[in-house]
């Protein structure tokens, strides 16, 4: 079959399987199968798929049809302009997490701040990324802050393997020290300038509101924190206060559901600020020790 017919029937098939954005997904999976870019799809509509290409594309469509996220099928997701490897051991990095990176860069003084205050952090920052998953935040910061010393932890050994592979893929392995830990266990007191984290923050009580794909295929321990969603953050905030040097910053991704609880937990901190994402949902909490 020719590429344009294959694509048209894939769009129909994904639509019938109730896959959101069927055209986009059909194209992404075809680009993955043929190892080509989108321009090729449109420049070569008459390209005839070889039998093995057709059968690999069918297999990918079948996976997508049963709900497997496209990124777990292709094994890739872009974050902060970097192509990252993803597997079902890690959360698929989300675009809104780039706001967390932006907040850190503002505090580090390398990005113009939207607020009045920029805290001048030292040029060789000691940063900890807690719950690094694919390593997306640590990698983005390593790329943007060439003098920062970065430690990244996760409780999951399988996630750390993916994070290390991503660091190697982007020649940043010498810049980030990865280790397996429960939150900030192993960090010395007053030893870190900035702690950044996108922790699990969804409550089991909100499970019905979480997309089925996320519930079925993304790691449960990366998404759900416990019954209310605040459980991990509730442990992280006091640990961060001990690990940070005086004047250091904590920057966390949060959700609208828990933002007021987070603000309350940060009541003894200075300069608490909660920033919204592009949908005006409270998304990043930052506070100074
Ligand atoms: C929401 S994911 C974020 C992953 C990645 N930082 C990102 O932004 O895409 C949360 C991560 O925290 C890790 N995690 C969960 N509980 C943890 C704990 N107690 N200590 C350390 N990491 C934990 C999970 O394994 C998961 O990789």
């Amino acid at each position: 079959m020719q590429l344009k017919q294959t694509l048209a029937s894939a769009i129909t098939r994904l639509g019938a399987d109730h896959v959101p954005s069927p055209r986009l997904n059909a194209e992404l999976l075809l680009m993955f199968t043929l190892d080509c870019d989108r321009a090729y799809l449109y420049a070569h509509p008459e390209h005839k798929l070889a039998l093995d290409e057709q059968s690999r594309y069918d297999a990918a469509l079948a996976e997508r049809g049963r709900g497997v996220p496209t990124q777990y099928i292709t094994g890739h997701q872009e974050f902060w302009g970097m192509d990252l490897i993803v597997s079902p051991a890690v959360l698929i990095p989300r675009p809104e997490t780039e706001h967390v990176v932006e907040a850190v860069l503002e505090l580090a003084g390398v990005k113009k701040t939207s607020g009045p205050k920029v805290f001048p952090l030292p040029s060789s920052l000691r940063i900890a990324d807690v719950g690094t998953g694919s390593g997306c935040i640590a990698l983005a910061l390593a790329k943007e802050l060439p003098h920062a010393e970065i430690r990244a932890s996760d409780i999951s050994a399988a996630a750390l393997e993916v994070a290390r592979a991503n660091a190697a893929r982007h020649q940043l392995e010498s810049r980030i020290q990865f280790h397996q830990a429960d939150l900030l266990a192993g960090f010395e007191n007053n030893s870190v300038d900035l702690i950044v984290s996108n922790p699990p923050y969804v409550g089991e009580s909100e499970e019905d509101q979480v997309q089925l794909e996320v519930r079925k295929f993304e790691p449960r321990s990366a998404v759900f924190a416990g019954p209310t969603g605040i459980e991990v953050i509730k442990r992280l905030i006091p640990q961060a206060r001990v690990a940070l040097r005086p004047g250091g910053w904590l920057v966390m991704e949060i959700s609208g559901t828990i933002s007021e609880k987070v603000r309350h937990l940060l009541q003894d901190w200075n300069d608490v600020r909660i920033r919204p994402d592009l949908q005006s949902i409270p998304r990043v909490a930052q506070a100074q020790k």
Side-chain angles (χ1 to χ4, degrees):
M1 221 197 283
Q2 287 185 340
L3 191 153
K4 67 176 174 198
Q5 292 150 344
T6 305
L7 191 55
S9 77
I11 294 166
T12 308
R13 175 174 172 179
L14 292 182
D17 285 337
H18 307 290
V19 171
S21 314
R23 170 175 291 277
L24 175 67
N25 279 288
E27 286 179 358
L28 286 169
L29 292 174
L30 190 52
M31 285 151 58
F32 164 67
T33 305
L34 300 179
D35 192 17
C36 69
D37 58 14
R38 180 170 279 112
Y40 182 91
L41 298 186
Y42 288 94
H44 302 276
E46 325 295 333
H47 168 100
K48 275 207 162 147
L49 267 73
L51 271 181
D52 75 305
E53 289 172 338
Q54 188 66 57
S55 71
R56 281 189 285 117
Y57 191 42
D58 282 342
L61 291 170
E63 288 278 275
R64 191 64 192 92
R66 71 178 185 89
V68 180
T70 296
Q71 294 91 333
Y72 288 153
I73 301 171
T74 63
H76 293 267
Q77 171 64 25
E78 193 185 300
F79 184 85
W80 203 260
M82 292 180 288
D83 177 48
L84 300 185
I85 300 164
V86 292
S87 82
V90 298
L91 188 94
I92 298 164
R94 305 294 204 270
E96 55 268 30
T97 301
E98 296 195 353
H99 293 303
V100 174
V101 176
E102 281 164 5
V104 174
L105 296 182
E106 280 188 19
L107 291 170
V110 299
K111 191 173 180 289
K112 230 177 135 256
T113 176
S114 51
K117 278 186 186 159
V118 180
F119 183 76
L121 284 157
S123 61
S124 122
L125 284 175
R126 291 159 301 173
I127 298 179
D129 172 25
V130 179
T132 197
S134 62
C136 58
I137 296 174
L139 286 159
L141 294 178
K143 186 173 153 188
E144 300 296 338
L145 299 170
H147 303 297
E149 208 182 277
I150 302 174
R151 289 172 74 183
S153 70
D154 204 289
I155 203 156
S156 156
L160 285 166
E161 256 184 59
V162 175
R164 284 195 183 96
N166 278 320
R169 184 177 172 82
H170 293 279
Q171 287 91 45
L172 292 169
E173 68 268 53
S174 64
R175 298 285 322 286
I176 308 168
Q177 250 184 289
F178 291 100
H179 59 109
Q180 193 177 5
D182 180 9
L183 301 181
L184 287 158
F187 281 80
E188 280 172 28
N189 297 359
N190 301 319
S191 66
V192 188
D193 297 302
L194 193 146
I195 293 170
V196 60
S197 182
N198 174 14
Y201 57 68
V202 181
E204 283 150 7
S205 56
E206 318 168 66
E207 190 156 350
D208 307 352
Q209 295 150 49
V210 176
Q211 266 185 320
L212 189 63
E213 276 183 14
V214 176
R215 275 188 270 153
K216 271 178 82 178
F217 297 102
E218 301 212 49
R220 214 178 151 78
S221 57
V223 177
F224 294 100
T228 68
I230 197 77
E231 290 79 359
V232 175
I233 287 179
K234 208 172 182 168
R235 292 177 54 232
L236 177 61
I237 289 176
Q239 289 190 24
R241 206 169 165 87
V242 173
L244 282 173
R245 65 151 172 88
W249 286 87
L250 171 62
V251 179
M252 291 179 297
E253 182 168 323
I254 60 163
S255 71
T257 318
I258 59 165
S259 67
E260 281 317 306
K261 289 181 194 154
V262 171
R263 198 185 279 283
H264 178 72
L265 290 169
L266 290 169
Q267 62 186 345
D268 298 335
W269 294 61
N270 298 319
D271 286 321
V272 177
R273 178 170 168 204
I274 295 188
R275 301 156 173 255
D277 64 16
L278 297 175
Q279 271 88 49
S280 304
I281 297 168
R283 188 57 69 198
V284 183
Q286 65 181 57
Q288 190 179 24
K289 174 174 169 180

